[in-house]
Amino acid sequence: MAGGVWGRGRDGPVGSLTLTALAEGIRASQGQPVGPSSTGPQAEPEELGPEAEPYIQTLTPASEAQPGNEVVAPTASSEIGSPPNVQEPAPERPYQVSQYSWEEGTLADLALYTAACLEEAGYAGTQATALTLSSALEARGQRLEDQVHDLVRGLLAQVPSLAEGRPRRAALRVLSALALEHAQDVVCALLPSSLPPDRAASELWRSLSRNQRVNGQVLVQLLWALKGAAGPESEALAATRALGEMLAVSGCVGATRGFYPHLLLALVTQLHDLAQGAHSPDSPKVWEPSHRGPPHSHASCTVEALKALLTGDGGRMVVTCMEQAGGWRRLVGAHTHLEGVLLLASAMVAHADHHLRGLFADLLPRLRSANNSQRLTAMAFFTGLLQSQPTAQLLREEVILERLRTWQGDPEPTVRWLGLLGLGHLAMNRGKIRHVNTLLPVLLRALGEGDVRLVGAALGALRRILLQPGAPVRLLSSELRPRLPPLLDDARDSVRASAVGLLGTLVRRGQRGLRLGLRGPLRKLVLQSLVPLLLRLHDSSQDAAESSEWTLVRCDRALRWGLLEEMVTVAHYDSPEALSRVCHRLVHRYPSHVQHFLSQTQGYLRSPQDTLRRAATVLIGFLAYHTSPKGVSQDLLDSLFQDLGQLQGDPESAVSSAAHVSAQQVALLARAQVQTRSSNLFRFIRHRHRSYPTRPHPLYDDSPFLRRSLAGRWSCLEPR
């Protein structure tokens, strides 16, 4: 019997329904003469599957199934809502194939009736209905526009109660048959159940994804819903979750051919909207504890959909690169989203270049979008894709250059920042520097911006220019001399580190000229930056300290100071003896710059960083010890002595004790300077040898601050 085939019903007798019986029942309920079914002979067992044969034989005996005999509508249980008044067909009317019941009215009634069965029928009756309707819809699905929503709601209500295997597959065939002709209506009917998430809706989305005949159409409809063209914001969020379900099914991404770039940009733009808090749906952001498996927020669901889209198309390395660089975390951040977009574009340039042309073409109209999220996301992608030379060649360079220069006049700092990054990529995407006359003024002007992103982008672009063959070292040395030193003491850690690194790169590229005594502007820039570099070895920013060490090593090599060991020792162990040897070499190599060195160091005595105040105090003591009395003005010595006296009351004991020692060195230097003003040189020499022997070497206590040793830098275990 049917119960053995479809599973035992839970609420009474097994409901029974075939396409022929349904059609006859509908006609009888409308008061029409009951005649042969329009579907032709009753469905053969093979059409419904071999398992249905006992069930059909139970409904229609063999004697009634023969041509020429009347067909009696079965008396179905009230459980499936069969019509109560069924007329007997005329016995003299021969059984014949007719198309009458395929007219619009009858088929619409068939859909309504079946939807009612799906919502109200019992367990087994629903299974039989699903299988029967599946066969009907595959043949005549195009007539059911108005009834799709009812059918989908019925499936959502009954699918969870169906047994695994053929019963559930038969019900899911109904959905696929509907989506084949009515994809938009099916998507609209399913979306409300996707937000908040529903397990039955998730299963229906996955079933559509597995059907190669309909998944492409459904994905297109979800794309339009995601873009917000078909409904409110909540519909876009529901579409995002539906896309996540579908794209997670293996093989579904292949259906996105033709609109893959469009879908990728829509998902990334959706992340921008979510990051900015543009959506405020009524549904909770966090899933209930009873739900297992799905992501815990709309943003993470969108990220998972984006990962599935990339992975399914062979972009697994893109996903890996994003994870290693923290790109996914940046994509969902309110202030880091565009950085994540830039990382994604760079990863695609490196590992998924087969989609770059399509992406670039889809980006161009979005660059002038009135929607801020779309426009900024498109700008970030456009900027990142300029790293690909074949992609950048899709437009004439003059057009791209003019667009990027226009961005520099935008009042929004973010747009100017993206324009700077784009100019840097465009100037060097062929391995050589181009458009220097256009690029350099823009980059140098950006060094004075207040936004840290703009300054960082300009410094990074200038460094990349210096790394290219034929870099204009002399020109940059002259232009950077008034602009770079203030950035070495910038309050922003990243700016200090980048500025110091740029100076090191400039010295490295001009090394040959410095050794030959040339590069006048660069030599002046190095000497002007020497004191900040020495003091920044003790910077609280690890990046700035390491960058200072690297730059000092470049300077030592280019100018042949022979202080490599001392530089490294000062950097990692804060050794007073090594710093003394450095000061001795610099004072004797550049005696005319000693006063400038002392004046620069004096400015750091008021630094908010304890490490810098102590380092400046110690540096003044050693410079005063090694310098000649003739090399420093009395006014400067008086000013130094006064500032060091104030530091002796510093709350940090290491600073106050160092200030006491350095103040003694300044006082001794001042006394020696007074003696040099004697009119009688002989009396000065005799008096000096009698009263002022060699000044005592300053002795400083070990620094209490954490030493940046290699063991600490690499998290090694220090010896006990």
Side-chain angles (χ1 to χ4, degrees), residues 389-403:
Q389 178 182 341
T391 304
Q393 288 177 345
L394 294 176
L395 284 178
R396 290 186 299 111
E397 284 190 3
E398 293 76 9
V399 175
I400 299 177
L401 189 62
E402 182 60 31
R403 186 185 298 272

Side-chain angles (χ1 to χ4, degrees), residues 16-18 20-22 24-25 58-60 71-77 82-83 86:
S16 58
L17 201 59
T18 64
T20 302
L22 261 177
E24 294 291 348
T58 302
L59 294 177
T60 55
V71 178
V72 182
T75 305
S77 167
S82 58
V86 180

Side-chain angles (χ1 to χ4, degrees), residues 301-314:
C301 180
T302 308
V303 168
E304 292 303 318
L306 193 55
K307 288 182 180 180
L309 182 65
L310 292 166
T311 303
D313 192 58

Side-chain angles (χ1 to χ4, degrees), residues 606-627:
R606 299 178 180 87
S607 172
Q609 297 184 30
D610 295 341
T611 54
L612 285 183
R613 291 202 308 277
R614 182 186 180 278
T617 302
V618 174
L619 182 60
I620 287 176
F622 283 122
L623 287 174
Y625 172 74
H626 290 289
T627 192

Side-chain angles (χ1 to χ4, degrees), residues 549-569:
E549 178 188 351
W550 183 83
T551 300
L552 280 172
V553 171
R554 302 280 84 76
C555 294
D556 175 79
R557 182 176 300 175
L559 296 172
R560 298 182 177 180
W561 292 334
L563 295 172
L564 177 60
E565 181 179 353
E566 287 77 6
M567 296 288 189
V568 174
T569 304

Side-chain angles (χ1 to χ4, degrees), residues 115-439:
C117 289
L118 286 170
E119 294 178 352
E120 302 171 4
Y123 181 65
T126 301
Q127 296 168 352
T129 302
L131 182 61
T132 303
L133 184 64
S134 174
S135 299
L137 294 180
E138 287 180 356
R140 298 285 180 172
Q142 67 273 20
R143 303 289 187 91
L144 302 175
E145 291 89 345
D146 299 332
Q147 288 74 36
V148 169
H149 286 71
D150 295 330
L151 289 168
V152 173
R153 283 195 296 269
L155 286 171
L156 284 169
Q158 294 298 324
V159 162
S161 63
L162 296 177
E164 295 289 344
R166 181 170 175 78
R168 182 166 292 200
R169 289 197 304 270
L172 296 179
R173 283 178 61 200
V174 175
L175 186 68
S176 297
L178 283 173
L180 189 62
E181 298 292 341
H182 310 286
Q184 182 177 359
D185 296 319
V186 168
V187 169
C188 291
L190 273 178
L191 281 180
S193 299
S194 300
L195 193 70
D198 181 84
R199 288 185 177 276
S202 298
E203 183 175 0
L204 295 184
W205 288 121
R206 290 193 296 269
S207 71
L208 290 173
S209 181
R210 294 187 185 96
N211 191 317
Q212 301 298 322
R213 299 170 62 190
V214 302
N215 55 9
Q217 301 179 48
V218 174
L219 287 171
V220 169
Q221 296 301 326
L222 288 175
L223 173 59
W224 284 108
L226 177 63
K227 293 177 61 178
E233 294 173 348
S234 58
E235 184 175 348
L237 295 175
T240 302
R241 292 191 175 272
L243 282 168
E245 295 287 351
M246 293 191 66
L247 295 173
V249 175
S250 177
C252 179
V253 176
T256 63
R257 182 173 299 174
F259 59 93
Y260 181 99
H262 211 69
L263 180 57
L264 186 142
L265 289 175
L267 287 172
V268 177
T269 304
Q270 175 76 357
L271 281 174
H272 194 175
D273 289 333
L274 292 171
Q276 297 299 325
H279 299 286
S280 56
D282 297 332
S283 59
K285 291 276 184 180
V286 180
W287 291 52
E288 297 297 329
S290 58
H291 294 92
R292 296 181 180 178
H296 296 289
S297 69
H298 298 309
S300 59
C301 180
T302 308
V303 168
E304 292 303 318
L306 193 55
K307 288 182 180 180
L309 182 65
L310 292 166
T311 303
D313 192 58
R316 187 176 300 275
M317 280 301 299
V318 176
V319 177
T320 302
C321 289
M322 287 289 287
E323 290 175 349
Q324 293 176 347
W328 302 119
R329 175 178 51 81
R330 293 176 182 271
L331 271 178
V332 300
H335 303 291
T336 59
H337 170 77
L338 295 180
E339 296 176 17
V341 175
L342 291 169
L343 288 174
L344 178 59
S346 298
M348 294 191 70
V349 167
H351 303 291
D353 57 351
H354 54 292
H355 282 303
L356 298 186
R357 290 176 175 268
L359 274 173
F360 198 79
D362 279 353
L363 286 172
L364 296 179
R366 293 169 176 253
L367 295 177
R368 293 186 173 90
S369 173
N371 184 295
N372 193 54
S373 297
Q374 277 194 8
R375 183 171 60 92
L376 290 179
T377 300
M379 285 180 169
F381 249 118
F382 182 87
T383 298
L385 294 184
L386 290 179
Q387 298 173 84
S388 169
Q389 178 182 341
T391 304
Q393 288 177 345
L394 294 176
L395 284 178
R396 290 186 299 111
E397 284 190 3
E398 293 76 9
V399 175
I400 299 177
L401 189 62
E402 182 60 31
R403 186 185 298 272
L404 296 176
R405 291 179 61 186
T406 302
W407 291 2
Q408 294 307 303
D410 195 282
E412 189 172 354
T414 300
V415 177
R416 300 200 300 273
W417 168 58
L418 293 173
L420 283 175
L421 294 176
L423 286 171
H425 295 327
L426 183 65
M428 290 164 288
N429 64 4
R430 290 184 179 178
K432 60 180 181 180
I433 305 173
R434 296 168 299 153
H435 314 295
V436 175
N437 295 333
T438 301
L439 185 61

Side-chain angles (χ1 to χ4, degrees), residues 41-115:
Q42 187 169 343
E44 294 295 329
E46 296 82 1
E47 184 177 336
L48 301 180
E51 301 89 340
E53 183 175 359
Y55 171 65
I56 297 176
Q57 290 176 353
T58 302
L59 294 177
T60 55
S63 60
E64 296 179 356
Q66 300 297 327
N69 294 328
E70 59 273 21
V71 178
V72 182
T75 305
S77 167
S78 60
E79 188 180 8
I80 61 172
S82 58
N85 300 322
V86 180
Q87 300 180 4
E88 292 290 333
E92 67 278 1
R93 185 173 182 177
Y95 188 88
Q96 58 183 358
V97 178
S98 171
Q99 298 296 322
Y100 176 76
S101 63
W102 288 117
E103 295 300 325
E104 293 186 7
T106 304
L107 191 56
D109 288 342
L110 173 61
L112 288 173
Y113 184 83
T114 307

